Amino acid sequence: LEFYPVLSSEIPLDGRAPEQAVGCREPCPLSYLEETIEYDRRYSLLEPRSGFYAAVAFQQGGGALQGQFSFYRILPEVRGYLSFGEEKKVTLSAKLKMGTLLSGASDGNTPIVARFFSGGASSMRGFNSRRLSPMTAVAKSGSADSLVAPFGAREGETLPIGGKGLVEAAFEVRWNLIGDLVLAVFFDAGFVTKDSLPVGNPGQL
């Protein structure tokens, strides 16, 4: 059970934190159950070189639990590792992660804290943390109307608000050169969608 007294604030913290939640009245209680199933056969948790990892997480919000939102979320993930060569210094790793968020409300609203974001060191490394996401435009805090007077608008920025669908995939080659020095080459792919998966219209991606 979580309680957010200002979750629906339209003013972003420092102009970056996603605090907008569509359709949430203040204060905003959020209740849900969460279950996670994991099967971990990795050689090491910190620097895995062999084995695999599989997990699936579920969330069920609202309904008999009350709260502002009724939703259901599923998030499966698999990872695999294989090492070879002299002293097994070369390691191949791959990851696939998918998620979908379903709203139980007729208006389709979902809590922002349950939505999907990507980007950062542990996901899509081509994006800053949580910046791979559907965006909304907001005015910068303290910006003056005269800043862009010819257009009658204030200075703004994009704010990530999360999505209902997630796909992440990664492939990495690591070479342990000497001691703790490791050379890594990786390829990341993925997206976050406004609507739940599966997406019927490719134009929505």
Side-chain angles (χ1 to χ4, degrees):
L1 178 64
E2 301 179 12
F3 190 76
Y4 299 89
V6 291
L7 184 61
S8 59
S9 170
E10 295 183 358
I11 302 175
L13 179 65
D14 294 329
R16 293 180 177 84
E19 297 186 22
Q20 289 192 339
V22 178
C24 186
R25 300 183 300 274
E26 296 183 16
C28 184
L30 174 64
S31 58
Y32 61 89
L33 294 175
E34 183 171 10
E35 308 87 38
T36 302
I37 302 171
E38 294 182 335
Y39 187 61
D40 196 343
R41 299 290 294 174
R42 290 177 291 182
Y43 166 81
S44 166
L45 296 182
L46 297 179
E47 296 183 6
R49 295 186 179 184
S50 62
F52 67 93
Y53 169 87
V56 59
F58 303 93
Q59 283 186 3
Q60 307 89 35
L65 300 174
Q66 302 303 310
Q68 289 281 359
F69 294 95
S70 176
F71 65 93
Y72 182 80
R73 191 176 89 154
I74 179 171
L75 184 64
E77 178 181 1
V78 292
R79 304 181 188 183
Y81 306 88
L82 176 64
S83 294
F84 58 91
E86 184 180 353
E87 299 181 5
K88 295 190 175 181
K89 288 189 173 184
V90 179
T91 301
L92 305 180
S93 69
K95 179 187 80 169
L96 178 62
K97 186 177 184 179
M98 303 177 67
T100 189
L101 176 62
L102 306 173
S103 173
S106 57
D107 55 11
N109 282 345
T110 56
I112 193 170
V113 293
R115 297 176 197 161
F116 298 111
F117 298 83
S118 188
S122 62
S123 55
M124 283 287 292
R125 286 164 279 193
F127 291 79
N128 288 334
S129 179
R130 299 169 68 87
R131 291 297 295 183
L132 179 54
S133 160
M135 300 282 186
T136 188
V138 298
K140 283 188 176 180
S141 179
S143 63
D145 290 335
S146 59
L147 209 56
V148 238
F151 302 99
R154 298 172 61 186
E155 184 181 15
E157 62 182 328
T158 55
L159 181 70
I161 57 174
K164 298 179 184 178
L166 168 74
V167 173
E168 288 181 356
F171 180 77
E172 185 171 292
V173 180
R174 297 196 300 266
W175 180 24
N176 192 326
L177 296 176
I178 182 172
D180 294 329
L181 181 61
V182 177
L183 174 66
V185 178
F186 62 85
F187 174 81
D188 292 343
F191 54 83
V192 178
T193 64
K194 178 182 177 182
D195 297 317
S196 305
L197 296 180
V199 179
N201 182 5
Q204 294 175 329
L205 301 183

